[in-house]
Amino acid sequence: MDSTVDKIISDFNRERTLVIPSRAPLRPGQKSSDRSVIVRAKAPLRLGLAGGGTDVSPFSDLHGGAVLNATIDMHAYCTIEETDDNCVVFYAADRDEYEEHRSAEFLDASEGLILHRAVYNRIVKQFNGGRPLSFRMTTYSDAVAGSGLGSSSTLVVTMLKAFAEWKNLPLGEYDIAQLAFGIERIDAGLSGGKQDQYAATFGGFNFIEFLPDDRVIVNPLRIKRWIINELENSFVLYYTGSSRESANIIDEQIKNTTNKNQKSIDAMLELKADSIVMKEAILKGDFLTFSKYLAKSWEAKKKMATSISNPRIDMLYDMALEAGAYGGKVSGAGGGGFMMLMVNPADRIGLIKKLNQQDGMVMNFHFTKYGTQAWKM
C-alpha cells in the first residue's frame, strides 16, 4: 500500500478511536476554575444522495437547486469553556493544532484555524456588541477534511451552536444554517455550496430547495423505519483512502456555469430533475428506481467538472459494479473521500470483501434523525 494512503487511513482510524480531550490544554501555570461554564455541542455529517452541486451559486441563483441528503452517526464536536484570563484559545484536537490569542474585537481569519477565527469574529461583532470574549475551545470531527461528508461546514454549525447555547442567542435552525453559510463562504472566503450547513443543522432526511435571492426551503422527509433499515443494509460506505480539496472542484463548476458551459449546465439540470425522482422513490421504498437514478446521476455529475472523478475512482466504481453493486457515487464535490454504493443486501458482504482488497476501508454507519445539539455542563 502506498505510504501516503497508509498515513491517511491510519490518521482516519486514529480519529475514530482516539480519546479526545474534553478541553484545550492549559498553559503552564494556568488554572481551571471548577465554576467555569462548559458548553458542548455536536452536529451530524451527511451523505449527499442526489442533486449535489445544484446548491452552488450561480447555478442555484439562475436555475434553482434541489438536493436530497441524510445525516449519519458521524459528527463534528465542540467544547467551550469560559475563562477570565482575557485569552482566546482554539484547539483542533483531531488536527493537533493549537492557537492562543489575546481577547480582541477581531482576529485575522486569513491563516491558521480560519473557521474558528471567522466564527469568533462574527459572534463578537453581531451578537456581543464588539466586546471580546475569553474562553477555551476544543473541536474535532469523526471525518477528515475533504472526505465529502460536509465536515468543514458541519464544524462551523457545531461551533455556532455552542456559542448560541453559551450566550443564549435566539437562533433558530434556519438562522444557524444561514449564518454558517455566510461565515464559511463570505467571511472566510471558502468556495462551496449551501446544503451542508442545512443538513447539519436540521438533521435527518431532507429534500432542500435552493432558490434565487438566497432563499432556502428545507423539506424534512418522513421516511418509514423499514425503508431506513433497507437503505442501511443496501448501502456500503467506502473511504477511498484519499481526501481532496473540494474548493478547486467547485471553483471549476462555478466557472463552467459563469461561462455558460452548456454541457456542465445540462448536467446540473439533470441532477436537479433526478433528485426529485429519487425523493419520491425513497418515500415509497422504490429501491429499483432509486438505485437506477443513483447510477444515472453519477454519470451526470461527472460532466459538471473534469476533476470530479479520476482513474482510481473509475476503477473502484467499475469493480463495485462487477461485484454486484447497482450503482453509486462519490459523496460531496467528488475527486476522492467517500464513495457510497448500493447493493442487494444478500450481496453486501461479497462487495465489502472486494473493496477491502483495495487501498481504503469500508465504514459502518447508521442514519440519524437529529440535527445539531448543545448542552451546558
Side-chain angles (χ1 to χ4, degrees), residues 46-55 65-70 195 206-208 210 235 268 270-279 282 290 293-294 297-298 301 329-332 340:
R46 63 99 186 99
L47 290 180
L49 301 176
T54 68
D55 58 317
V67 168
L68 174 67
N69 59 33
Q195 70 158 314
N206 291 294
F207 182 75
I208 310 177
F210 303 93
F235 267 122
M268 284 186 271
E270 184 178 347
L271 283 169
K272 178 184 174 183
D274 288 353
S275 70
I276 297 172
V277 175
M278 292 175 71
K279 174 197 70 172
I282 204 172
F290 186 88
Y293 275 81
L294 183 67
S297 290
W298 173 237
K301 186 177 179 68
K329 66 185 291 289
V330 173
S331 185
M340 47 185 174

Side-chain angles (χ1 to χ4, degrees), residues 202-253:
F202 283 82
F205 285 82
N206 291 294
F207 182 75
I208 310 177
E209 300 171 86
F210 303 93
L211 307 173
D213 302 319
D214 285 329
R215 290 179 298 135
V216 179
I217 300 174
V218 179
N219 303 282
L221 303 182
R222 296 180 61 183
I223 310 296
K224 294 180 179 178
R225 185 67 246 182
W226 74 266
I227 296 176
I228 295 175
N229 288 338
E230 183 69 10
L231 283 172
E232 290 179 346
N233 278 272
S234 300
F235 267 122
V236 173
L237 187 60
Y238 178 73
Y239 183 60
T240 62
S242 62
S243 57
R244 80 286 182 273
E245 182 55 63
S246 62
N248 296 332
I249 299 172
I250 292 168
D251 285 341
E252 182 184 354
Q253 178 186 325

Side-chain angles (χ1 to χ4, degrees), residues 17-64:
T17 59
L18 183 64
V19 177
I20 302 292
S22 62
R23 64 181 66 171
L26 298 174
R27 302 190 312 279
Q30 185 182 20
K31 296 181 179 180
S32 175
S33 170
D34 290 337
R35 297 185 179 182
S36 296
V37 174
I38 297 176
V39 175
R40 303 197 200 282
K42 67 176 184 177
L45 304 177
R46 63 99 186 99
L47 290 180
L49 301 176
T54 68
D55 58 317
V56 178
S57 298
F59 179 85
S60 59
D61 303 320
L62 297 171
H63 305 283

